[in-house]
Amino acid sequence: MDQNLDEKALRELEQELHTEIYPGTEIMVDVGTHHFVKSSAGGHSVLVPQPSDDEHDPLNWSPLWKASAIFCSTLAPMFGDYIEAFHHDLTDVVQFTGVAILVLGFSNFIWIPIQTCFGRRPVLILSTIICFGSSIWRAKANTYNSFMGACILNGIGAGPAETAQPTIIADVIFLHDRGKYQTLYFAFYFGSLMVGPIISGPMAQNLGWRSFWWLNTALLAFTAVCCIFLFPETKFNRSFMPQNSTVSGSPPLKSGSAEQVEETPAQNGNHTSAVDHTDPEKDAPVQAQKPAVVAGNQTNLSHVHMHTDLYLGRGKPSKAQWRLWQPYEGNFFMELWIPWYLSLFPIVEFSAFIVSWTASSFLTLNLTQSQAFAAPPYNFTSTKIGFFNFATLIGALIGLFTAGPLSDFVAATLTNRNRGIREPEMRLLAMVPYVILMIIGNVVVAVGYQHHWDWKVIVIIGYTCAGIQVAALPSISSTYSIDSYKPVAGSIFVAITVNKNVWGYGFSKFITPWIIKSGYIPPIMTNMSLIILWCLTGIIFWYYGKTFRKWTRHSKVHSM
């Protein structure tokens, strides 16, 4: 639970709600005499995590500063040209992609400890500068080995592109909006991979392939400037208990604080009322809610937690949050171990497998579109092949505007039916329509390639479905893990990324000769079958996910 409550308060909530509260379980409504900070928009849903009273808390930042942080953190048709330039065959050239994604995955074993111990800001700035240098190297490379070296350096620098954003989203976004922003991240991440071929194909044909890397260099320079001047540090240590709150056994409130608690005698005991001095329309004392009746039993909670956040939606970064790095905090060597440790957690592995194989479904399009459409009977140019990625991009946008809101809506609806108790597993139901679209897309692409269907069918239906599923399924499944183990969101994505990129490397290494030997259907349909298998395991997590979280409730990952 992420409401900054002590153990005693959690046990009292469990008694009142007649349920067990494990990490990931959140209370989204006031319960009895427990009152939490709610949305400034006047909604009834409790904010999770609970923001502190600090103006500089990233959860309190204004929408402008939050948008700035998210923006800065989210900032293959050329294969034929590489073959001609470096005098290597398609299998060798495809390794530019395979090696880069393999190095990218393992580089996060260094980036995440730095991010955790010194902050998110230095990681984004330094990684962007490394990518900037590698892009210049690629633009000037004259040999196969030189270009491969630049790809390896880019893999090192690009690591945070797959791990920093989920951590930053968890830093600045509340739980009820997390699904939308997680989908936004995946849509932008995979969308950039879709836009790349759209731009690179025509540039390679008309201006030469090196021109694309000079454009990429300019974009990376712009990104570096944005990170330096528009991205403040989002890592923030929230106090265990809000400053302006009263809890049994806690010291009294300071004079002039946002809330004061008054004891008023009652016939059968004392009731607590709170005078709210933050709203001029509320001159009269606000009586504490009558203890809730749950399952027919009257509760007798004496614990009161009431809190008004004066800076919610109006905060801003402090000068300290603009430092190049933050003072060392944590355990660097422990952070190196955590991603491996998380691989033992069933929920993390569930997310890792779904992200890995759905991403490889999209990778299949990148690695096969030139092989399929440049050959007879199509004989398309790299420019036209690049434009086919518009269909994938449109699919990703559809996934962006549907998956996040759908998963948040499903979770909110099920939370209301569950008396305001939210479980991370509630998001999983939203995966169903996207699994169906994934199957349609893979079947159309595999059979269409093999039997030379009209390119319009393959691109409009197959590529669009591929774009929808690659924005939706990874975001829903990974958000499930973050909801369950939020303190280690970055390390979760190291485990996910390593899994994804090792499979992606293997797939990129063997798919071309596999297609030459057996055709398009066996590799593409095999990958699709594995996606279905991992998604079907979601049924297990729907029923037993809370049990898995119970097994890990005493793990150190919850206090990091």
Side-chain angles (χ1 to χ4, degrees):
M1 187 170 172
D2 210 1
Q3 264 102 334
N4 299 328
L5 296 179
D6 57 22
E7 193 70 19
K8 178 182 177 182
L10 290 179
R11 300 292 78 81
E12 289 180 343
L13 283 171
E14 285 183 334
Q15 291 177 10
E16 179 159 354
L17 295 169
H18 303 290
T19 189
E20 293 177 303
I21 299 176
Y22 300 126
T25 301
E26 302 294 350
I27 309 302
M28 305 300 292
V29 294
D30 288 340
V31 178
T33 53
H34 291 261
H35 301 269
F36 304 103
V37 181
K38 298 189 182 70
S39 170
S40 58
H44 298 288
S45 182
V46 168
L47 293 177
V48 178
Q50 286 281 278
S52 68
D53 294 329
D54 194 326
E55 178 184 11
H56 308 306
D57 184 342
L59 289 174
N60 285 331
W61 285 355
S62 67
L64 179 62
W65 281 115
K66 288 189 176 187
S68 177
I70 297 295
F71 169 75
C72 291
S73 64
T74 47
L75 287 178
M78 294 197 300
F79 283 165
D81 300 276
Y82 293 151
I83 292 170
E84 181 179 346
F86 299 127
H87 308 291
H88 282 259
D89 60 23
L90 179 62
T91 302
D92 290 336
V93 171
V94 166
Q95 291 310 296
F96 290 147
T97 300
V99 171
I101 63 176
L102 183 65
V103 174
L104 185 153
F106 284 96
S107 71
N108 282 302
F109 281 103
I110 300 299
W111 287 119
I112 288 301
I114 296 173
Q115 174 179 284
T116 302
C117 296
F118 296 99
R120 303 16 165 170
R121 181 170 156 82
V123 166
L124 287 191
I125 294 174
L126 180 58
S127 64
T128 304
I129 291 174
I130 291 175
C131 288
F132 175 79
S134 74
S135 187
I136 294 176
W137 185 357
R138 283 204 268 197
K140 298 178 72 68
N142 292 313
T143 65
Y144 178 89
N145 289 335
S146 177
F147 197 91
M148 181 64 77
C151 290
I152 293 172
L153 180 62
N154 182 75
I156 295 172
E162 296 198 347
T163 54
Q165 290 89 341
T167 306
I168 293 167
I169 289 170
D171 287 341
V172 303
I173 300 299
F174 293 107
L175 175 64
H176 64 278
D177 280 331
R178 197 174 292 162
K180 289 190 281 288
Y181 283 90
Q182 195 72 4
T183 306
L184 177 69
Y185 154 59
F186 275 104
F188 269 85
Y189 174 71
F190 287 111
S192 65
L193 302 180
M194 300 165 193
V195 171
I198 294 173
I199 300 174
S200 64
M203 291 188 71
Q205 184 174 353
N206 298 309
L207 302 173
W209 62 265
R210 297 179 191 275
S211 62
F212 173 76
W213 294 111
W214 287 119
L215 172 63
N216 190 61
T217 301
L219 293 174
L220 286 166
F222 170 75
T223 302
V225 171
C226 288
C227 289
I228 293 171
F229 295 105
L230 296 177
F231 180 74
E233 181 57 56
T234 62
K235 180 184 177 185
F236 188 85
N237 290 324
R238 240 160 248 106
S239 59
F240 180 73
M241 187 64 64
Q243 177 182 346
N244 297 331
S245 62
T246 51
V247 182
S248 56
S250 65
L253 291 172
K254 297 179 181 180
S255 175
S257 64
E259 299 175 17
Q260 294 179 358
V261 175
E262 301 174 353
E263 296 295 334
T264 58
Q267 183 176 356
N268 295 322
N270 292 335
H271 289 284
T272 303
S273 65
V275 181
D276 190 340
H277 299 284
T278 63
D279 191 339
E281 295 180 2
K282 299 178 181 178
D283 297 327
V286 179
Q287 298 295 327
Q289 290 184 0
K290 186 177 180 179
V293 178
V294 180
N297 295 324
Q298 184 76 22
T299 61
N300 295 307
L301 280 177
S302 60
H303 182 107
V304 179
H305 178 173
M306 304 185 69
H307 175 221
T308 297
D309 186 354
L310 299 176
Y311 295 107
L312 185 62
R314 298 193 298 235
K316 60 183 179 181
S318 65
K319 290 183 179 180
Q321 288 169 311
W322 288 104
R323 294 173 183 164
L324 187 57
W325 65 80
Q326 300 299 308
Y328 176 83
E329 183 181 38
N331 187 324
F332 188 89
F333 296 102
M334 178 62 73
E335 294 295 335
L336 292 173
W337 161 247
I338 288 297
W340 297 107
Y341 177 55
L342 288 172
S343 296
L344 301 176
F345 288 35
I347 291 174
V348 175
E349 280 303 289
F350 168 73
S351 299
F353 278 37
I354 290 181
V355 172
S356 300
W357 271 265
T358 52
S360 66
S361 180
F362 165 70
L363 179 63
T364 299
L365 302 187
N366 273 12
L367 297 178
T368 61
Q369 57 186 203
S370 291
Q371 186 177 2
F373 286 128
Y378 303 108
N379 298 317
F380 292 142
T381 64
S382 60
T383 300
K384 189 166 186 177
I385 295 172
F387 287 152
F388 289 163
N389 286 278
F390 273 116
T392 319
L393 180 60
I394 292 171
L397 293 175
I398 294 173
L400 167 63
F401 289 112
T402 60
L406 178 62
S407 68
D408 287 337
F409 171 77
V410 169
T413 301
L414 295 177
T415 298
N416 291 334
R417 294 182 181 180
N418 198 34
R419 298 172 300 154
I421 304 172
R422 173 171 291 194
E423 305 289 357
E425 291 77 22
M426 292 175 176
R427 292 188 185 274
L428 298 180
L429 193 61
M431 292 174 58
V432 174
Y434 301 104
V435 173
I436 296 172
L437 290 173
M438 179 276 300
I439 295 172
I440 294 172
N442 277 273
V443 170
V444 169
V445 170
V447 179
Y449 278 170
Q450 187 67 37
H451 297 288
H452 305 302
W453 285 3
D454 189 332
W455 67 267
K456 300 181 188 68
V457 176
I458 300 173
V459 172
I460 295 175
I461 298 177
Y463 281 28
T464 302
C465 288
I468 295 173
Q469 66 91 27
V470 83
L473 292 176
S475 66
I476 296 171
S477 61
S478 62
T479 304
Y480 173 39
S481 283
I482 293 175
D483 289 350
S484 301
Y485 306 106
K486 177 182 169 291
V488 288
S491 295
I492 287 173
F493 265 80
V494 176
I496 290 175
T497 300
V498 168
N499 193 313
K500 173 175 70 70
N501 290 10
V502 168
W503 172 252
Y505 171 75
F507 202 59
S508 69
K509 190 173 183 65
F510 296 109
I511 188 172
T512 300
W514 192 357
I515 289 173
I516 293 174
K517 179 181 179 181
S518 305
Y520 290 98
I521 292 178
I524 295 177
M525 298 301 281
T526 298
N527 190 72
M528 182 199 75
S529 299
L530 289 171
I531 299 173
I532 296 173
L533 174 63
W534 309 137
C535 289
L536 285 175
T537 62
I539 299 173
I540 299 174
F541 288 90
W542 176 264
Y543 288 103
Y544 297 104
K546 190 168 185 175
T547 301
F548 296 146
R549 288 187 284 120
K550 177 182 178 180
W551 293 348
T552 59
R553 67 188 185 278
H554 298 306
S555 173
K556 292 182 179 179
V557 301
H558 298 296
S559 59
M560 298 188 69

